[in-house]
Amino acid sequence: MSNIASLESELLTAVSSAKDEVALEAVRVAALGKSGSVSALLKTLGAMTPDERKVQGPAINGLKDKVGAAIAARKDELAASALDSRLASETVDVTLPVREAPAESGRVHPISQVIDELTAIFADMGFAVAEGPDIETDDYNFTKLNFPEGHPAREMHDTFYFNPKPDGSRLLLRTHTSPVQVRTMLSQKPPIRVICPGRTYRSDSDQTHTPMFHQVEGLVIDKGSHLGHLKWILQEFCKAFFEVDNVNMRFRPSFFPFTEPSLEVDIQCKRGKDEIRFGEGEDWLEILGCGMVHPNVLKNCGLDPDEYQGFAWGMGIDRIAMLKYGMHDLRAFFEADQRWLDHYGFRPLDFPTLAGGLSS
Ligand code: 2NL
């Protein structure tokens, strides 16, 4: 066998037995590299006679091309089998459950959920949301709301007071959200349609009362606002919030210093062992207080009671949240127990909307 023929069979065997791309590259360098065996043969052409070169030239170049082609083919083969083994080992199990993204694993507290729900309902009726500070003045929390100085009605609210200032005035934690409406009347011109959800504070603590709780109040001021409007708004609210087609409501006379007349509102319900249903039954459940804004309050807030009249209502958020979502112990709301929140909390990206469903 000639030199060339034996080198060829040696190189082709080395190429076909190269196990990976690194081994194949070593074969290439040993054959076609600068000091490779094929390159060495090519260099011998220069010293040959023209007749020898005519024969050896095509033979050596043929060897170079053949080995080059074999290396390229083996390279493709190795790349394909490397891909095959990756495809075989790196599988994705598409039947595994989707892992929750961190942004979705948190939960919305039921109070926040209920505030979002009632905001959606009242926004649909044209109400804006107003907010104010938790720390208030005696003037905004009581005096402007027609609680006269030294009047027993002030004692009805177990107020948390701060230490008096040198001038004798005392700040306090607001006992209701009404000061937000006072601020709204003082800073905006009628017509006014606002709801004021937020934290309120009273020094009271037992099974059904926590020192901090949540209220939502509503206020409408215009030239012709009357109790008929108020009844319609409350009825629509109750139907939407409790997600029933019909509610029966009962309006009973009551007293609040800031409204005249004042009314308390019950909705008809059926109490079961572990649930309460609205729109049926013979029981009554008190859910809110309301009335026509007292002329003194309008005056105190810069409005002429001969030109404007309005109505307002107030409702406990914690209680309606418990009613709607079947939570029995008010205190669990504020214990920040992760297990309670995992159970009763809401998914963060499910925003309540009237069209999409409030509690879905
Ligand atoms: C209740 C009763 C009520 C209001 C709140 C109000 C606010 C202004 C003027 C007049 Cl600025 N009224 N708010 C009116 C009636 C009742 O709350 O039982 N809340 C839990």
Side-chain angles (χ1 to χ4, degrees):
M1 205 198 259
S2 76
N3 250 354
I4 294 176
S6 68
L7 183 58
E8 180 182 310
S9 88
E10 184 190 315
L11 289 176
L12 292 183
T13 309
V15 167
S16 62
S17 56
K19 294 236 167 345
D20 52 34
E21 292 191 52
V22 178
L24 184 65
E25 177 63 6
V27 173
R28 190 193 66 78
V29 170
L32 305 177
K34 237 190 200 154
S35 37
S37 49
V38 177
S39 307
L41 271 182
L42 278 167
K43 278 180 202 149
T44 64
L45 286 175
M48 290 180 191
T49 64
D51 283 345
E52 273 181 317
R53 199 180 298 136
K54 242 186 205 153
V55 180
Q56 297 292 322
I60 298 174
N61 276 304
L63 168 67
K64 182 186 156 203
D65 294 345
K66 219 167 178 178
V67 172
I71 289 174
R74 180 67 182 148
K75 197 170 176 164
D76 287 348
E77 211 174 277
L78 287 172
S81 82
L83 182 61
D84 281 346
S85 69
R86 275 188 61 194
L87 285 171
S89 63
E90 297 177 10
T91 56
V92 173
D93 185 350
V94 295
T95 66
L96 284 175
V98 178
R99 188 169 54 86
E100 251 181 348
E104 286 185 38
S105 66
R107 286 292 175 269
V108 174
H109 194 286
I111 301 283
S112 305
Q113 170 77 16
V114 164
I115 290 176
D116 290 349
E117 290 180 11
L118 58 86
T119 300
I121 296 168
F122 285 117
D124 202 50
M125 295 193 253
F127 284 79
V129 174
E131 290 181 308
D134 290 14
I135 298 174
E136 269 295 358
T137 61
D138 198 85
D139 184 41
Y140 283 181
N141 193 80
F142 289 125
T143 314
K144 287 220 172 357
L145 287 157
N146 197 37
F147 289 79
E149 220 75 57
H151 191 276
R154 290 191 184 223
E155 320 303 290
M156 280 164 52
H157 296 205
D158 304 287
T159 312
F160 285 114
Y161 286 101
F162 288 82
N163 290 334
K165 293 197 254 191
D167 67 5
S169 68
R170 293 184 294 179
L171 290 175
L172 49 79
L173 290 175
R174 67 183 185 194
T175 60
H176 43 193
T177 52
S178 314
V180 183
Q181 287 129 278
V182 169
R183 288 168 181 273
T184 304
M185 286 187 275
L186 287 168
S187 64
Q188 294 179 21
K189 279 200 166 67
I192 290 172
R193 273 193 223 93
V194 287
I195 56 160
C196 311
R199 295 172 185 231
T200 48
Y201 305 83
R202 292 184 196 179
S203 178
D204 201 350
S205 186
D206 60 38
Q207 185 92 40
T208 55
H209 297 88
T210 48
M212 188 281 297
F213 57 102
H214 298 82
Q215 255 199 348
V216 58
E217 288 191 46
L219 175 72
V220 172
I221 307 275
D222 208 341
K223 292 192 168 154
S225 310
H226 57 71
L227 280 180
H229 299 141
L230 173 64
K231 286 178 75 169
W232 179 83
I233 287 171
L234 295 176
Q235 196 141 21
E236 290 306 306
F237 168 76
C238 288
K239 286 197 291 188
F241 182 77
F242 292 111
E243 301 179 60
V244 290
D245 293 333
N246 183 45
V247 282
N248 291 320
M249 307 181 84
R250 188 167 74 173
F251 290 77
R252 289 178 288 107
S254 182
F255 172 80
F256 303 109
F258 31 77
T259 45
E260 183 59 38
S262 303
L263 310 128
E264 268 170 301
V265 181
D266 303 330
I267 52 176
Q268 202 162 40
C269 64
K270 180 176 179 171
R271 282 176 225 264
K273 195 165 106 23
D274 254 336
E275 59 165 16
I276 182 162
R277 287 170 177 278
F278 299 102
E280 55 183 292
E282 292 303 318
D283 301 322
W284 292 96
L285 181 82
E286 183 186 325
I287 57 156
L288 61 89
C290 61
M292 296 302 293
V293 178
H294 197 292
N296 290 347
V297 175
L298 292 173
K299 266 184 257 170
N300 294 341
C301 297
L303 296 170
D304 178 359
D306 292 326
E307 190 178 1
Y308 291 109
Q309 55 188 11
F311 51 82
W313 69 93
M315 180 163 57
I317 291 177
D318 315 76
R319 220 166 79 86
I320 60 164
M322 291 170 78
L323 283 171
K324 180 165 179 178
Y325 291 113
M327 296 166 287
H328 303 289
D329 187 357
L330 173 70
R331 290 169 296 191
F333 274 80
F334 311 117
E335 281 172 356
D337 184 330
Q338 190 64 49
R339 293 161 302 175
W340 184 87
L341 201 53
D342 284 343
H343 183 78
Y344 287 109
F346 292 81
R347 303 185 60 82
L349 299 176
D350 292 341
F351 305 112
T353 62
L354 290 178
L358 294 170
S359 57
S360 57

